[in-house]
């Protein structure tokens, strides 16, 4: 909740805490891990075409770091990330998540006035069923990238009950 509050204070448009931070917390819970460590970084995604520069992202990373320097913040305006990923331009932060490698990683949360809002463009079934499945582009076009990511992440060492589906 503390992380969500800090991110909310930035008042960024279409802003979410996403990916590994959320996914890992769920997997830790399902694996009955009594302690959960933060992932390598906390991904903060947002969307605003008018502010789509790395300089603006760095400004918000600095602002968040000043609130908590123990967290490795990664702030990325999704309005520019399609260039890095060789995709068509994204239309929103949630649309950008549909281009991520795994369905269970395409998860984000944010704090609103009425509580916690969840964005999950592929639904929550794979996440809650502990299934690691490639999204459409990573099944074929970016298959090797998906397989390399599985090898590097080595998620089974931390969460042995995961069901890893290789790209077909």
């Amino acid at each position: 909740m503390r992380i969500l509050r800090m991110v909310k204070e930035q008042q960024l448009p279409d802003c979410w805490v996403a990916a590994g931070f959320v996914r890992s917390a769920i997997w830790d819970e399902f694996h009955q891990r009594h302690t959960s460590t933060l992932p390598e970084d906390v991904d903060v995604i947002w969307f605003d075409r008018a502010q789509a520069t790395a300089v603006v992202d760095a400004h918000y990373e600095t602002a968040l770091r000043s609130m908590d320097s123990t967290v490795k913040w990664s702030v990325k305006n999704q309005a520019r990330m399609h260039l890095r990923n060789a995709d068509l331009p994204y239309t929103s932060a949630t649309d950008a998540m549909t281009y991520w490698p795994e369905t269970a990683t395409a998860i984000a949360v944010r704090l609103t006035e009425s509580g916690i809002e969840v964005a999950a463009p592929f639904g929550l079934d794979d996440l809650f069923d502990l299934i690691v499945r490639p999204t459409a582009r990573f099944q074929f076009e970016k298959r090797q990238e998906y397989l390399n990511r599985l090898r590097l992440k080595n998620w089974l060492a931390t969460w042995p009950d995961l069901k890893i589906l290789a790209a077909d």
Side-chain angles (χ1 to χ4, degrees), residues 19-20 23-24 27-28 31 33 39 101-105 130-134 146-165:
R23 181 205 60 225
S24 297
W27 287 353
D28 282 346
H31 279 81
R33 295 184 64 181
E102 310 90 27
T103 57
T105 301
L130 304 174
I131 295 172
V132 178
R133 176 192 321 270
Y146 173 74
L147 296 173
N148 290 343
R149 182 172 159 84
L150 290 177
R151 197 170 20 265
L152 287 171
K153 294 292 185 178
N154 192 23
W155 286 320
L156 286 173
T158 305
W159 300 286
D161 293 337
L162 293 177
K163 297 165 210 82
I164 307 286
L165 303 181

Side-chain angles (χ1 to χ4, degrees), residues 14-16 45-47 78 90-98 100:
D14 194 9
C15 185
W16 305 82
I45 64 170
W46 63 296
F47 191 90
Q78 299 301 294
Y90 307 142
T91 59
S92 67
T94 304
D95 178 50
M97 290 172 23
T98 67
W100 291 2

